[in-house]
Each structure stands twice: as C-alpha cells, then as structure tokens.
Amino acid sequence: MEFSSTKSNEKEDHRSDLKTLNLYNEIISTLPKRNGWKSDEVYQYQGFWHTFFYLEGLLSAQQHFKPQTNDIILSSFPKSGTTWLKALSFAIVTRSSFDISANPLLTTMPHECVLSLESDLAHNSFHRNQDTPLIGTHVPYTSLPKSIIDSRCKIIYICRDPKDTFVSLWHFLYNASFKGVDSSAKEDADFEKAFELFCDGVSYYGPYWNHVLGYWKASLESPERILFLKYEDLKNETLFYVKKIAEFMGYPFSLEEEDKRMVQKIVDLCSFQNLSRLEVNKSGQLHGRAYLIEKNAFFRKGEAGDWKNYLTPMMAARLDQITEQKLRSSGLTFNVGSKV
Ligand code: A3P
C-alpha cells in the first residue's frame, strides 16, 4: 500500500498539531466526564461518549477533513462488523486491480487497507490511502464532519445485536491497550460494571442506541446515500448483501463476473475463517496514535448469538427491553430474541 505523505507535509501538520492540540485540550477539559469501562475517563461530546484521543481526533477531523469526490464512508458502532465490512468493501473496489489470489488483504490487515477518519487520518489527511475511496469511522452520524455531509459521500453503516456487540466489546477492550489508559486495567475486567455502563449508554461512541438510530434515520431519509446493514443479515445472506454493497458503492458485478463466481470468491476471501488464519491478522499489533492492539483481537469468534455464553437470562432480557424501548416506533428491530 502506498501512502502519499511527504516529510514536509508531516512537519507542517506537526506544527499545526501543537497549536491546535492545546485548543482541543481546552475544549475537552470543559466537557462532562465519567469513568469508562477500564481505568479511563470518557468525555461527552455532542451527546456521545469518547476517549480523550479519539475525541481529539474527531475534533481535528471535524475541523480539517476534506473528503475526495467518490469517497465512501464505512461506519459502525465498535464491534459490529467493521473489520468484515472493510475487507468486503476493499475486495469489491480493488477486484479489477488485483487477482483474488494477490489481493492486498492477504498481506495487509483490513484496518490498514481502510484507514480510520478519527484516528489514522485525524491529524494528517495526507496519510490517506490514495488507492481506494474507502474511509472507516465510528463517529456518530450527527458528529460526522460537515464536509462529509455536504459532499454527499455515500455511507455504509453496519450494526449488530447489542447483546453480541456488548460481549464482543468487553472481550476486545480487555485485550486492547489504549494510550493514556493504565495497562494494569486488564485486572479490573469487571463484566457487571461494564454491562451497567453499557446499559446506561456509557461506552466508546455510546449510547449504542443513539448511534444506531442516527444512521438509521439518515438512511430512511436518504436511502440512495446511506446503506444500513446488520451483521446478522450479512452473516445469513452474505452473497446477497455483497452484491447489494457492490451495487450501492457503484461497483456492480457484471454477468461475466458472476459467471466466474467472483462474488463467492470475495465472500471466501473475507470470511472469518480465511481472514483469521492469515499470518498478517494473527500476529503483530496495530499501532495508532491512540492505541496499541493485538491484531488477532479483531478476530475472536465471528458468530451471531455468542452472547448466550456470557449474559445471564436477566441481563439479556434487560438489554432487549432497553433496545425495544429505544427503537420503538423507529421501524428498526433486531429479530434475535433474548432466550438462552
Ligand atoms: P466477536 O467478538 O463476536 O467474535 P469490529 O470489526 O467492528 O471490531 O467487530 C469485531 C467482531 O467482528 C468480532 O466479533 C469479530 O470476531 C468479528 N469479525 C471479524 N472479522 C469477521 C469476518 N470476516 N466475518 C465475520 N465476523 C468477523
């Protein structure tokens, strides 16, 4: 992968960084603050909870980020299938440049193929990958940089049953190490405490329900611009949704490609089984400004319904009840039930 940064760009960015970082610090210091799941603090900005570094990145992106024509934003609540969506979208848009057997996904992690708005690109959009129009983000719809909303970039959003999202997030957070967070925090892996906070809306980019509803409502208003997906649907009917994603992005499969089983080849390339066994995703760490994460933490089980192994029936019923209440009258449902 080629990134188009130059030394002088980096220096320039760094200079403006020092000035603006102080300003962001000042803004953040005035925001409502709470203890997060680990020994960290989260800050409430525009109705959502953020860690310090991601919020700094979001403020910077809101101020500086300029999308390119035809950019496609891949958005999600954390642990809802971001890695999978990035891999599928990347394979779709690069299929005419690379043979499937030589796709960069075989040697580069999906998060390095598709960079993140509020971490990788926040302070230096020169670092964007010029080879693809794809940009990832967890930023809530209402906090997206105005430049993205005004540009009418297409957006694909993926969400997941909140019970599985919570369980996946809990496992992930206690494996990941975020800068500014005490690394001994692994020991306070308090499942019940995290559950209470999640129900209360306090999790990175939470409240979960507001995040999902922001994109859901926007997708109802502008279905041609925002494609709303659920992890469970993608899991059940992967071929159908891969075709739908490709069409939505403006990269539809031709009849000839379908005859040559291109859709199935992309599904296989991006399957949990395949990606999780690749050396590039099995070992090493993902380094960002705000985090240091074992790459294999992004590939745990890749199943729908794993919550049954972790949540008590009471916890599951409680989350379902909150979901029912928050999504009522929105038309959005998760038909996954709370029965263990
Ligand atoms: P589990 O923790 O339930 O296994 P994100 O990519 O948004 O961080 O979400 C991570 C979740 O997606 C994890 O769920 C992970 O295992 C799962 N996942 C990662 N790659 C996947 C793939 N190719 N297919 C299906 N699920 C995948």
Side-chain angles (χ1 to χ4, degrees):
M1 291 282 106
E2 292 264 321
F3 298 99
S4 68
S5 78
T6 64
K7 281 235 163 356
S8 68
N9 284 340
E10 276 168 12
K11 269 189 196 148
E12 243 166 58
D13 267 19
H14 183 62
R15 272 201 300 273
S16 66
D17 248 3
L18 292 177
K19 266 193 268 152
T20 49
L21 286 183
N22 281 336
L23 176 67
Y24 299 150
N25 274 341
E26 264 177 49
I27 296 173
I28 295 173
S29 69
T30 65
L31 298 174
K33 182 166 83 166
R34 277 186 70 162
N35 289 330
W37 293 19
K38 297 174 105 171
S39 310
D40 60 342
E41 285 171 335
V42 284
Y43 300 84
Q44 195 179 37
Y45 177 68
Q46 299 182 333
F48 291 85
W49 295 99
H50 301 273
T51 60
F52 182 89
F53 279 104
Y54 282 106
L55 181 50
E56 208 180 49
L58 168 56
L59 291 171
S60 179
Q62 284 184 335
Q63 198 181 359
H64 300 295
F65 184 74
K66 299 271 176 297
Q68 292 181 358
T69 332
N70 300 332
D71 270 352
I72 299 165
I73 312 295
L74 306 179
S75 185
S76 58
F77 189 83
K79 313 326 288 176
S80 299
T82 322
T83 316
W84 193 15
L85 179 62
K86 282 185 174 183
L88 287 170
S89 305
F90 184 84
I92 290 168
V93 302
T94 57
R95 70 183 190 272
S96 54
S97 311
F98 305 101
D99 194 75
I100 287 287
S101 60
N103 192 284
L105 284 166
L106 294 166
T107 50
T108 312
M109 219 220 157
H111 292 285
E112 292 169 317
C113 292
V114 180
L115 299 180
S116 152
L117 173 71
E118 64 274 24
S119 59
D120 307 310
L121 304 177
H123 298 280
N124 192 342
S125 31
F126 298 109
H127 280 158
R128 66 167 295 152
N129 177 359
Q130 300 290 348
D131 299 335
T132 87
L134 305 171
I135 290 172
T137 188
H138 292 312
V139 168
Y141 184 74
T142 44
S143 291
L144 283 176
K146 196 168 169 304
S147 58
I148 291 183
I149 303 290
D150 290 349
S151 71
R152 318 263 323 142
C153 283
K154 287 196 172 180
I155 298 174
I156 305 180
Y157 182 73
I158 188 160
C159 65
R160 186 181 191 188
D161 176 2
K163 301 189 292 303
D164 277 334
T165 305
F166 166 74
V167 168
S168 180
L169 188 56
W170 185 80
H171 280 99
F172 182 77
L173 285 184
Y174 291 103
N175 280 319
S177 146
F178 290 88
K179 291 178 187 167
V181 177
D182 179 3
S183 59
S184 67
K186 254 190 182 177
E187 276 129 49
D188 355 312
D190 186 336
F191 192 73
E192 279 77 24
K193 176 183 140 195
F195 182 77
E196 285 305 320
L197 285 168
F198 186 81
C199 290
D200 214 13
V202 184
S203 61
Y204 301 163
Y205 299 92
Y208 164 90
W209 300 273
N210 302 23
H211 199 283
V212 171
L213 278 175
Y215 281 95
W216 172 248
K217 286 178 186 159
S219 76
L220 293 181
E221 277 162 26
S222 311
E224 70 299 337
R225 195 170 61 90
I226 304 177
L227 178 66
F228 189 96
L229 300 172
K230 292 184 205 159
Y231 181 92
E232 295 75 18
D233 291 343
L234 192 55
K235 198 89 198 147
N236 287 337
E237 291 181 89
T238 314
L239 272 177
F240 171 83
Y241 281 100
V242 168
K243 282 200 247 176
K244 190 167 174 146
I245 292 170
E247 259 165 49
F248 177 81
M249 292 198 300
Y251 294 80
F253 291 98
S254 65
L255 284 177
E256 193 190 342
E257 282 181 311
E258 292 210 29
D259 284 347
K260 289 188 175 157
R261 297 183 69 252
M262 178 55 91
V263 192
Q264 185 64 53
K265 285 179 190 167
I266 287 179
V267 170
D268 293 344
L269 171 69
C270 302
S271 70
F272 180 86
Q273 289 69 16
N274 189 48
L275 291 183
S276 62
R277 72 169 179 81
L278 296 175
E279 203 48 46
V280 64
N281 297 324
K282 263 195 332 198
S283 58
Q285 295 167 322
L286 201 58
H287 291 261
R289 229 183 131 257
Y291 55 79
L292 187 69
I293 304 173
E294 296 298 329
K295 289 181 176 176
N296 63 17
F298 288 91
F299 303 90
R300 193 180 62 94
K301 284 195 183 170
E303 290 167 7
D306 186 45
W307 59 266
K308 293 181 182 129
N309 297 315
Y310 295 91
L311 299 181
T312 64
M314 263 174 71
M315 285 170 139
R318 182 158 160 219
L319 262 187
D320 277 351
Q321 200 183 7
I322 299 174
T323 305
E324 214 280 305
Q325 189 199 346
K326 301 267 189 193
L327 304 190
R328 190 179 295 155
S329 76
S330 70
L332 175 63
T333 52
F334 289 95
N335 298 319
V336 281
S338 62
K339 295 264 174 339
V340 179

